Amino acid sequence: MSRLYDTIEPNVIDEELLQKAVEEQGPQEELGQLAKREGIDYKDVLELQLDFRNILKIDNLWQFVNLTKLQLDNNIIEKIEALDTLVHLIWLDLSFNNIEVIEGLEALIKLQDLSLYNNRISKIENLDTLQELQVFSIGNNNLTALENVVYLRKFKNLRTLNLTGNPVCENEQYSMFIAAHLPDLVYLDFRLLDDNTRELAEIKYQYAIDELKQGEAQALANLVEEQAKQKELEHHKAAYVEYLNGSFLFESMYAEDTEAARLAYLPGMADLLETYKSKFVLICENLFAYGLKEHEKRQAEVSTFYECLQEAIQDSQQQGTKIILDFENDNQGLDVIQNMSNFEIADFKLVKYNEDISQLSDTLMTLEMQTVDQLEEIIKDFERNIADQVSTFIENVQGMMAQCRDLENHHHEKLLEIAINTLEKIVKSEFDEEMPDDARLLFVDKDTIVNAVNASHDIHLLKIDNREDDIITKANSWSSSVIEEVHKNEISRNRNRVREINQYIDHLQEELDNMESLEQMEEANSGSPVRTQALVRRTC
């Protein structure tokens, strides 16, 4: 069911092999020879045939980023790998190889036709991302379980399936099972699935299919719910307040606190912890709500800024367009000037046209400088607004985190007081409550219990400080990146606009220069006096 190593040494996909393959499948006439001499850009290659080349390992295909069809059949490939960059692949043939596991296809989300015929595969798996799959050939492999075919139900576009030659095909219920579980399938093993087979299959497996559909519906509902939760979490992360709408931060303080479990046996600790937790979580929830509100404000500010920016740019573009149209309307075409019989009037027109070009250049450049100044003011206002918003946000975050620290300090003082009192009672043999042995070890002396309480306190404060630093760092980073992006875009816009103006002016000047050169040649050939060259070159 697979190919053995030939007497020829296993091949590798190197530059020489790729170059040869591309040249062989390219045009062979003069155009093809020219391409060979000048070199072929692999990015331009859409189809590649690497069949019958004794290839052992897939490699070095990363340059074929626009490839849509790839033939790797009839080789000795043992593993599917190194295909991640071929994201435009539609057709892939890996038949007649030594592949044992379906893998390495996750990035090929556009794949429609996949052949793994005649390999060593025993399970259909790892194809989840191939939702565009329409044709799947996996005949002559080692598939034994009919239930494994149920996996293919998730591919709603699958219309053609080839399983012939697998042990699973020997099951007498094979065709019925496939027809029932893959209702959208049109062709099975190169044969059309007829309506009679479908109807019989539907009746035979009705209860199993109903149960399967219920499971799929529940799985889909779970997926939708999970995606909604993930989307909500991303929104919370964008506001820098993820997991603050509950007890997550409080619980994280105790998750790494090795002393907390033993200190929990102190008298009155249950009530003390419950009070501490409720107050702490309330502050976190307030911070969470505030963070979301401020995030919406920042987003609104950014949206308003870009609207103003775009409005100013469009206004400048409209003014520029009007200036150019006025120039073109005020100046007769060069063809008209060239055909004038009166040389003096024509020369006058040419001089004026040259001056008008210079004036047009100055006017357009002046407009662009005015636009730059206007946009600079808009950007400065935006920077101030963003800086104020972020500064206020950070200040309030610091205030709420200070409240958390105050609660932790108060809890620490109470805990320390209870611990000292408990120690005194134990020393005087007045402590009658039950306590595990590992908890009693804290009360061998005052230093031991004080160190344990302080260690717990330090861990809690560190967690609070780290979360505060995380929020502040992300807020400042966002502010810097937004402003940096704005300036970067404006520099790019200005350069592009200046280049456009220069290209247009150069085009006008080139037309004028070409006309003058033509006139000089005509006058020289005719032997007539050379017309007065009154044209003044561009000074801009």
Side-chain angles (χ1 to χ4, degrees), residues 397-523:
V397 167
Q398 290 172 329
M400 293 183 189
M401 284 299 186
Q403 294 177 33
C404 291
R405 274 188 286 270
D406 290 342
L407 280 177
E408 170 58 30
N409 290 332
H410 178 72
H411 175 75
H412 170 67
E413 292 173 1
K414 289 289 186 181
L415 177 58
L416 189 59
E417 181 182 342
I418 293 173
I420 297 299
N421 290 337
T422 302
L423 176 63
E424 292 175 355
K425 289 181 180 181
I426 291 175
V427 170
K428 295 177 182 179
S429 300
E430 297 176 356
F431 188 75
D432 299 328
E433 299 183 28
E434 292 186 2
M435 183 180 292
D437 292 340
D438 62 334
R440 282 186 176 273
L441 292 176
L442 294 174
F443 296 93
V444 294
D445 55 44
K446 185 176 181 179
D447 287 343
T448 301
I449 186 61
V450 169
N451 288 339
V453 173
N454 286 339
S456 176
H457 179 53
D458 290 341
I459 290 174
H460 298 173
L461 287 179
L462 181 61
K463 281 288 183 181
I464 296 171
D465 292 344
N466 287 344
R467 189 59 208 269
E468 179 182 350
D469 291 341
D470 181 65
I471 294 174
I472 293 172
T473 299
K474 287 179 178 177
N476 284 326
S477 176
W478 173 83
S479 176
S480 299
S481 64
V482 167
I483 299 303
E484 181 181 352
E485 183 68 17
V486 167
H487 283 290
K488 179 181 177 182
N489 290 341
E490 169 52 18
I491 291 173
S492 177
R493 185 210 64 80
N494 173 244
R495 287 176 177 172
N496 290 337
R497 184 57 177 166
V498 170
R499 182 168 61 250
E500 288 174 358
I501 294 172
N502 285 331
Q503 287 175 346
Y504 180 64
I505 297 301
D506 288 345
H507 169 70
L508 295 176
Q509 193 66 52
E510 184 179 356
E511 285 186 332
L512 189 61
D513 291 346
N514 289 339
M515 177 180 172
E516 179 188 3
S517 299
L518 183 60
E519 286 181 351
Q520 290 177 345
M521 290 177 61
E522 290 177 347
E523 291 170 351

Side-chain angles (χ1 to χ4, degrees), residues 68-80:
T68 60
K69 182 176 181 179
L70 175 60
Q71 289 183 236
L72 285 166
D73 56 285
N74 290 279
N75 287 293
I76 51 175
I77 297 168
E78 297 179 344
K79 183 178 180 180
I80 306 173

Side-chain angles (χ1 to χ4, degrees), residues 26-38:
Q28 301 301 314
E29 61 277 5
E30 184 178 350
L31 184 61
Q33 298 302 318
L34 179 62
K36 290 180 183 180
R37 290 195 298 271
E38 295 184 352

Side-chain angles (χ1 to χ4, degrees), residues 90-104:
I90 295 176
W91 195 96
L92 175 62
D93 190 351
L94 285 163
S95 59
F96 295 94
N97 280 287
N98 297 327
I99 298 166
E100 296 184 359
V101 178
I102 301 177
E103 59 185 334

